[in-house]
Amino acid sequence: MHGILTIFRKEMGDHFNSLRFILISALIVMVGVIITSMVGMAIKEEVKGMAKPTLLFLLLFTSTGKLFSFVQFIGFFGPLLGIFLGFDAINRERVSRTLSKLVSQPIFRDSIINAKFLSGVTVIGIILVATVLLISGLGIRLIGVVPGVEEVSRLVIYVIISLLYISFWLGISILFSVIFRSTATSALASLALWIFFSFFVGLGASVIADAVAPVSQTASGVDAEMLIKHEKIQRIISSFSPMVLYSDATTTILDPMRKTTRGLILMGPLERLSMSRFQNPLPLLESIFIVIPHLISIVAITFLCFGICYFVFMRQEIRTV
Amino acid sequence: MKDQIVVETEELTKKYGSKIAVNRLNLKIKEGEVFGFLGPNGAGKTTSLLMFLGLTEPTSGKVEVLGFNPARDPFRVKEKVGYLPENVGFYDDMDARQNLQYIARLNRIPDEVSEKRIDYWLEIVGLSKESTQKVGTYSKGMRQRLGIAEVLIKEPKLIFLDEPTIGLDPDGTNRMLDLIQSLSREKNITIFLSSHLLDQVQRICDRVGIMINGNLVAIGPIDELAKQKLGVDQEAYTLEEIYMKYFKEA
């Protein structure tokens, strides 16, 4: 435990002193503040003279305004945050030849990787919490609405999901920093994976769905069965992407009007009925039930990723050259 | 106390796939001696050191360091053994003091104690004046001396030095050798020195072991080896002659 704590403290110091951390947190805070003030002003105009609609506060995070919403921004940019904090975790020590020195101290070898992962997670947590609080404060000033218990709990869950999701990317980048000797290679490999998941999985899903279940326009309209099959395939494949999991989970948690993570075509009859009949927001617990599978998958891939990382690191020969 | 054994190996073997890096090494190092571990590059010197420290597991055979098995009990061994790797690295954006303090903390040395030790050892290795400079600005010789200070912070009983003088200028080499010798004489620290710079080894080592292609081909005091191999008496030989003789035979 002692070893973990010492390394953790040093790593935290390194993170906070690094230009990288300052730049990236400045960027996130800046974008967050800009989006919020734009969205906040728009909301203020809209609800002028009206009674306060339910869960208005969450709109600060989910409303897209003119550009994109804060949630979308974190969904896109969060992985980069994880990658930047971890891509040189181990190989930097290898390049500077401090790793062999570190492992010859009386600490357990796994404390090195545990401490590095934990310090990364802590930094991510600090950035996320700070930004969400900042936005909330700004939002309260702008729209004059104080969030209720439910809104706060939804935000807390959102932060937890985001933390897990970004930690997944942190794990990926640390894994690459264990595997690759050069920091440039590990950074590029992590970025390549990020691009693959954010763009190509979605693209690939629709290509494969088109190939397996082509939907053609016939005289009698669209073949309904084929269309459903097409949608199902597309959905299954795209749920391999952690990004899809994450964005489904967070939009459902933050938008109580969303009662399913499925698209319109795949909705069951009861879901459709509820959608058209009941215009009330879902209770928090129900929202959580909907995203539980997503949540568990995100936790699973995060742990899996760190587990692989741990395993590879523990098996590696530490040589000076 | 001179007869206490600090490192003992029995048929110690390490294989990487089919390549034998260290072949049935039998070695006994006594407390307080300066032992020179010689051999060409790739002879298995560093691999042996890594096995002594528990950083890599032996394929077969036994090794005991200060009475502990490094593969099973690496913690105990690392607490009492210092290791200076070849071309030691530092955190270049921290100064000498911070680097030493980090290592001290990893060794669970309380800050009050380590402060004094850091002052003491920086003085001994002659880096007191530069102690607040970032290590990134240090010369090779200064880094190597800082490495020695770092190893000594935990007050080890035994230190492994892997090519401690490589890349140093003549003056730096001399100071380093003097320092190593004084550690053994004044602090009774056992020193295990791996090197291929023979004249230096001859100057400071009590005993030497010669390792070629994973085999320990000779072990003993230098003059004994000279008698065996060259059949000459003292002063009339250099370690290099003995070494080359073994090297050609191997």
Side-chain angles (χ1 to χ4, degrees):
Chain A
M1 244 358 245
H2 184 270
I4 291 194
L5 215 67
T6 310
I7 302 176
F8 177 80
R9 271 168 57 187
K10 174 183 177 288
E11 289 296 317
M12 291 300 281
D14 283 356
H15 280 314
F16 287 132
N17 283 326
S18 69
L19 191 62
R20 206 191 296 173
F21 166 81
I22 296 168
L23 285 178
I24 205 163
S25 45
L27 183 69
I28 291 182
V29 166
M30 197 175 70
V31 172
V33 167
I34 291 173
I35 294 176
T36 318
S37 36
M38 280 166 57
V39 169
M41 247 120 52
I43 293 177
K44 197 179 175 187
E45 283 301 308
E46 246 174 77
V47 297
K48 215 173 228 173
M50 281 166 62
K52 178 203 165 221
T54 41
L55 305 177
L56 177 70
F57 195 73
L58 293 175
L59 281 178
L60 276 177
F61 295 88
T62 53
S63 168
T64 49
K66 286 197 183 70
L67 292 165
F68 39 75
S69 70
F70 178 72
V71 170
Q72 282 169 340
F73 173 65
I74 291 296
F76 183 76
F77 198 73
L80 280 182
L81 173 63
I83 290 171
F84 285 152
L85 289 177
F87 76 89
D88 62 350
I90 298 295
N91 51 17
R92 185 188 52 209
E93 303 251 8
R94 217 188 277 281
V95 169
S96 67
R97 293 167 179 277
T98 44
L99 191 60
S100 52
K101 193 171 77 179
L102 217 50
V103 293
S104 55
Q105 304 307 324
I107 50 167
F108 292 110
R109 185 156 163 185
D110 57 349
S111 31
I112 298 172
I113 196 140
N114 290 345
K116 293 206 174 237
F117 187 71
L118 279 180
S119 69
V121 172
T122 313
V123 169
I124 295 167
I126 290 172
I127 294 182
L128 275 178
V129 171
T131 321
V132 167
L133 286 180
L134 197 69
I135 291 181
S136 304
L138 195 67
I140 293 174
R141 272 200 75 90
L142 276 175
I143 57 177
V145 172
V146 179
V149 177
E150 179 159 353
E151 285 152 310
V152 171
S153 6
R154 279 176 190 273
L155 278 177
V156 169
I157 295 171
Y158 166 72
V159 169
I160 293 172
I161 299 177
S162 305
L163 183 61
L164 282 166
Y165 173 65
I166 299 174
S167 303
F168 163 71
W169 286 99
L170 178 72
I172 289 275
S173 66
I174 292 182
L175 175 64
F176 284 145
S177 87
V178 172
I179 296 173
F180 299 115
R181 298 281 156 133
S182 125
T183 51
T185 316
S186 61
L188 285 177
S190 323
L191 286 179
L193 201 68
W194 172 67
I195 289 171
F196 173 77
F197 277 132
S198 46
F199 303 113
F200 290 99
V201 170
L203 212 65
S206 63
V207 169
I208 293 173
D210 278 341
V212 178
V215 180
S216 48
Q217 206 78 32
T218 53
S220 55
V222 184
D223 182 357
E225 241 169 72
M226 220 42 163
L227 186 65
I228 288 174
K229 199 174 166 196
H230 181 272
E231 284 293 308
K232 267 188 185 160
I233 291 169
Q234 194 167 352
R235 197 178 134 75
I236 288 168
I237 293 172
S238 52
S239 63
F240 276 102
S241 161
M243 269 172 198
V244 174
L245 289 177
Y246 172 75
S247 68
D248 278 356
T250 47
T251 43
T252 312
I253 277 294
L254 285 182
D255 180 5
M257 301 306 284
R258 269 181 72 132
K259 290 158 190 176
T260 170
T261 55
R262 279 179 256 189
L264 199 59
I265 296 174
L266 287 181
M267 270 185 201
L270 285 177
E271 280 170 335
R272 225 171 286 188
L273 186 72
S274 135
M275 189 85 148
S276 55
R277 285 290 175 80
F278 308 112
Q279 287 298 331
N280 282 329
L282 271 189
L284 176 62
L285 208 59
E286 302 292 325
S287 289
I288 294 176
F289 282 149
I290 293 175
V291 298
I292 274 285
H294 299 72
L295 204 59
I296 291 175
S297 312
I298 291 176
V299 171
I301 54 174
T302 307
F303 276 75
L304 189 72
C305 182
F306 181 66
I308 295 172
C309 189
Y310 185 95
F311 180 76
V312 173
F313 181 68
M314 295 301 278
R315 300 284 315 240
Q316 238 174 17
E317 258 309 291
I318 308 271
R319 304 232 43 167
T320 40
V321 270
Chain B
M1 282 300 277
K2 275 275 173 188
D3 295 299
Q4 194 96 15
I5 302 290
V6 287
V7 180
E8 183 171 12
T9 69
E10 231 173 78
E11 304 286 303
L12 186 69
T13 304
K14 176 73 184 181
K15 289 180 191 162
Y16 288 105
S18 62
K19 189 185 170 291
I20 301 174
V22 175
N23 188 21
R24 305 168 82 179
L25 177 69
N26 288 301
L27 196 67
K28 274 189 184 133
I29 311 288
K30 283 181 256 147
E31 184 173 356
E33 74 174 331
V34 181
F35 185 82
F37 203 35
L38 317 177
N41 297 323
K45 288 174 294 174
T46 304
T47 308
S48 308
L49 286 186
L50 293 181
M51 283 192 283
F52 296 164
L53 279 160
L55 293 181
T56 180
E57 277 196 34
T59 312
S60 64
K62 269 205 303 199
V63 54
E64 245 181 38
V65 176
L66 300 167
F68 298 107
N69 177 349
R72 294 250 190 79
D73 230 345
F75 219 93
R76 291 291 184 76
V77 171
K78 288 173 188 171
E79 259 170 5
K80 300 215 173 80
V81 175
Y83 170 50
L84 181 67
E86 190 180 345
N87 287 322
V88 62
F90 297 95
Y91 298 102
D92 285 344
D93 48 353
M94 306 201 298
D95 65 29
R97 193 166 273 282
Q98 287 166 332
N99 265 290
L100 294 182
Q101 190 159 49
Y102 183 45
I103 296 299
R105 282 186 182 147
L106 288 175
N107 280 287
R108 299 157 188 261
I109 300 167
D111 282 358
E112 315 87 78
V113 180
S114 69
E115 284 294 327
K116 282 182 206 134
R117 282 194 202 169
I118 290 170
D119 286 335
Y120 177 73
W121 286 113
L122 281 177
E123 183 69 45
I124 296 266
V125 300
L127 287 174
S128 291
K129 264 188 240 156
E130 295 90 348
S131 68
T132 48
Q133 268 179 40
K134 295 213 161 153
V135 177
T137 65
Y138 276 27
S139 70
K140 175 91 195 180
M142 289 159 81
R143 292 171 79 90
Q144 209 62 276
R145 276 183 280 148
L146 181 59
I148 291 274
E150 194 171 78
V151 165
L152 293 166
I153 277 296
K154 59 173 141 181
E155 305 202 323
K157 289 197 170 138
L158 163 67
I159 53 181
F160 293 114
L161 304 174
D162 200 349
E163 308 281 7
T165 54
I166 209 158
L168 297 189
D169 56 30
D171 175 51
T173 306
N174 272 330
R175 286 167 69 179
M176 179 62 93
L177 293 176
D178 289 343
L179 179 64
I180 293 171
Q181 208 157 30
S182 71
L183 288 177
S184 156
R185 289 197 184 141
E186 286 157 29
K187 316 259 176 213
N188 198 32
I189 298 173
T190 314
I191 289 164
F192 191 106
L193 181 92
S194 131
S195 180
H196 53 242
L197 299 170
L198 301 168
D199 51 329
Q200 299 174 8
V201 173
Q202 186 171 12
R203 215 182 100 189
I204 61 167
C205 289
D206 304 324
R207 283 201 309 151
V208 296
I210 299 178
M211 191 138 184
I212 291 168
N213 288 332
N215 294 302
L216 188 69
V217 292
I219 182 167
I222 298 173
D223 45 352
E224 261 177 43
L225 293 184
K227 265 184 214 155
Q228 274 177 30
K229 255 312 137 194
L230 304 171
V232 290
D233 268 339
Q234 279 169 0
E235 308 301 325
Y237 58 86
T238 64
L239 181 57
E240 193 162 345
E241 290 173 77
I242 309 172
Y243 176 80
M244 285 317 290
K245 195 117 185 175
Y246 277 110
F247 190 66
K248 277 175 191 142
E249 280 171 18

